[in-house]
């Protein structure tokens, strides 16, 4: 006896057995540049190597979740944003004192101004489109841009 595989051969009560849910969209995971650009946009006061240094390999799995960004080469990621993608990033020295009293200096990087922030939002949206994700909502994008000063501070 032939097996009932085709919907026309299946009784009405058996039609629930057919999975008619649409296949999930093929959305790729975020690019590192996208994750880093969004992390820079959400931290208008700046980030240092202390914020982005991974403590374990498992920390790298958190990249792309929006919760945290980890890298082992912050200065290289900053240079890529500046040179390859044309985002103006400013850096200023920040003194850090450990709990043991040792001091060192880190560079705190931040997006320089609203023009650079708008460029970063455009790039993040382009990368999201390339991997099958929708753009950031326009209200949220404008909120991200408005966190930054109108013009870059020249020191």
């Amino acid at each position: 006896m032939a097996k009932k595989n085709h919907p026309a051969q299946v009784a009405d009560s058996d039609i629930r057995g057919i999975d008619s849910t649409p296949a999930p969209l093929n959305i790729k995971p975020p690019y590192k540049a996208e994750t880093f650009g969004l992390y820079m946009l959400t931290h208008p006061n700046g980030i240092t190597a202390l914020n982005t240094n991974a403590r374990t390999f498992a920390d790298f799995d958190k990249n792309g979740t929006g919760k945290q960004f980890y890298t082992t080469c912050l200065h290289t990621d900053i240079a890529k944003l500046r040179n390859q993608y044309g985002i103006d990033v400013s850096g200023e020295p920040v003194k850090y004192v450990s709990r043991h009293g040792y001091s060192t200096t880190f560079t705190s990087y931040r997006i320089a101004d609203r023009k650079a922030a708008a460029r970063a939002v455009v790039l993040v949206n382009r990368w999201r489109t390339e991997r099958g994700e929708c753009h950031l909502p326009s209200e949220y994008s404008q909120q991200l841009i408005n966190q930054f000063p109108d013009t870059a501070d020249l020191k």
Side-chain angles (χ1 to χ4, degrees):
M1 176 169 221
K3 190 174 178 184
K4 298 179 182 179
N5 290 334
H6 193 272
Q9 297 173 330
V10 179
D12 289 337
S13 62
D14 293 338
I15 204 154
R16 290 177 300 203
I18 299 171
D19 186 12
S20 62
T21 57
L25 297 175
N26 189 15
I27 298 176
K28 297 175 185 171
Y31 302 120
K32 182 179 181 184
E34 174 191 340
T35 304
F36 183 53
L38 194 55
Y39 190 73
M40 291 287 291
L41 284 166
T42 57
H43 292 80
N45 294 327
I47 60 171
T48 66
L50 286 176
N51 304 117
T52 61
N53 279 347
R55 283 122 183 112
T56 66
F57 286 117
D59 285 344
F60 289 106
D61 292 335
K62 296 176 187 173
N63 281 352
T65 63
K67 296 177 183 173
Q68 185 63 35
F69 175 79
Y70 290 107
T71 185
T72 55
C73 48
L74 179 63
H75 60 283
T76 303
D77 294 325
I78 292 292
K80 194 172 199 177
L81 281 183
R82 284 177 176 156
N83 302 331
Q84 189 171 345
Y85 301 117
I87 298 174
D88 188 15
V89 178
S90 62
E92 63 181 47
V94 175
K95 189 170 185 168
Y96 172 77
V97 179
S98 74
R99 64 182 177 178
H100 302 291
Y102 300 111
S103 65
T104 189
T105 303
F106 289 95
T107 302
S108 177
Y109 298 103
R110 69 179 182 86
I111 294 177
D113 56 18
R114 288 185 185 171
K115 181 179 177 185
R119 171 106 177 111
V121 166
V122 167
L123 286 168
V124 166
N125 282 334
R126 180 174 38 154
W127 291 321
R128 289 173 66 94
T129 300
E130 286 176 5
R131 62 184 187 84
E133 186 73 67
C134 60
H135 284 196
L136 296 172
S138 59
E139 302 85 24
Y140 180 61
S141 297
Q142 194 59 51
Q143 180 184 3
L144 290 173
I145 293 168
N146 289 341
Q147 302 179 94
F148 296 93
D150 286 332
T151 57
D153 297 329
L154 300 175
K155 292 185 179 184

